[in-house]
Amino acid sequence: MRHRRVVAPTLVQPRRLLRLGGATLAVGFLVVMAMSGRVRESGQLVRFVAAGVLDAAPARVSGIELTDSGRTWAFARTANGWRRAADQRPVGPELATHLEDAIKFLHVSPPVRVLERQEWAEHGLGEFGLDRPALSAVLFEDGRRLLAAQFGSTNPQKVLQYMRIDGRDEVYVMSRFVGAEWERAVVEAGR
């Protein structure tokens, strides 16, 4: 029994000191992080940069006007969500989701390719379905126009779509999902 009492305190003491030292180091590290005000960056993290054609943050868009085959719908964002501008009726959840996603896609999705005027001028916009766009979307912030985009035809594989922006000479080759989300919004708006 005496040997256990003599040996036990000497074995327990170093373990206790190691635990206490480890805990002190962890708390010290947390204090240093809190004092510096930033988290150490990891090489695995990629910083997000919005590279889409819409420079403004999606939350700043307060109004949308969609035109498809001569039909026009106007929507206004309120504190209670999206509403039809004409009668202030709230839109359904499906339409609200499509509007939000379509705006975000314009903000974050970069063009696959940008065709400068000299690249498309010889053939004209008809080759891209932009002489009479299938769909147009105008985005507003408090009545001020942020962006007016026209969506044209798709490429033969149906994965890309041509788009033009009012006031710019370029034709943008966009991933198809960008225009498809606006088309889904139009389908929901027409119901």
Side-chain angles (χ1 to χ4, degrees):
M1 290 277 241
R2 261 191 191 163
H3 278 291
R4 284 187 188 166
R5 288 185 185 164
V6 170
V7 173
T10 58
L11 289 178
V12 172
Q13 196 67 16
R15 286 183 188 157
R16 190 175 282 163
L17 286 174
L18 277 173
R19 285 187 206 145
L20 183 61
T24 303
L25 283 174
V27 169
F29 180 71
L30 290 174
V31 168
V32 168
M33 282 179 53
M35 297 297 284
S36 71
R38 62 185 170 87
V39 178
R40 196 180 66 149
E41 285 197 33
S42 169
Q44 296 175 345
L45 297 178
V46 177
R47 191 171 298 280
F48 170 75
V49 177
V53 294
L54 175 62
D55 294 331
R60 290 181 42 199
V61 176
S62 60
I64 298 172
E65 187 177 286
L66 291 175
T67 305
D68 172 37
S69 304
R71 302 175 297 174
T72 301
W73 298 271
F75 305 98
R77 183 185 300 198
T78 67
N80 298 324
W82 287 100
R83 296 186 172 274
R84 294 181 185 270
D87 56 12
Q88 291 301 304
R89 286 183 315 158
V91 303
E94 288 272 330
L95 177 54
T97 299
H98 290 309
L99 293 173
E100 289 292 339
D101 288 347
I103 295 167
K104 287 176 190 170
F105 290 161
L106 283 177
H107 182 64
V108 301
S109 303
V112 174
R113 183 163 181 232
V114 178
L115 302 172
E116 300 296 332
R117 184 175 190 83
Q118 61 269 19
E119 294 179 83
W120 61 262
E122 182 180 330
H123 302 287
L125 294 172
E127 183 176 326
F128 307 105
L130 291 167
D131 56 343
R132 292 184 186 181
L135 170 68
S136 68
V138 183
L139 283 60
F140 299 93
E141 178 186 15
D142 300 327
R144 182 180 63 86
R145 181 187 278 205
L146 289 173
L147 181 88
Q150 293 88 38
F151 295 90
S153 58
T154 60
N155 72 334
Q157 295 80 18
K158 307 275 189 232
V159 294
L160 301 172
Q161 184 173 19
Y162 300 103
M163 182 183 80
R164 185 133 191 261
I165 297 175
D166 281 358
R168 300 183 192 174
D169 285 339
E170 299 87 5
V171 169
Y172 298 90
V173 182
M174 302 294 288
S175 295
R176 175 71 181 107
F177 66 85
V178 176
E181 199 61 34
W182 287 107
E183 291 169 10
R184 289 183 190 105
V186 165
V187 168
E188 285 297 319
R191 292 185 180 179

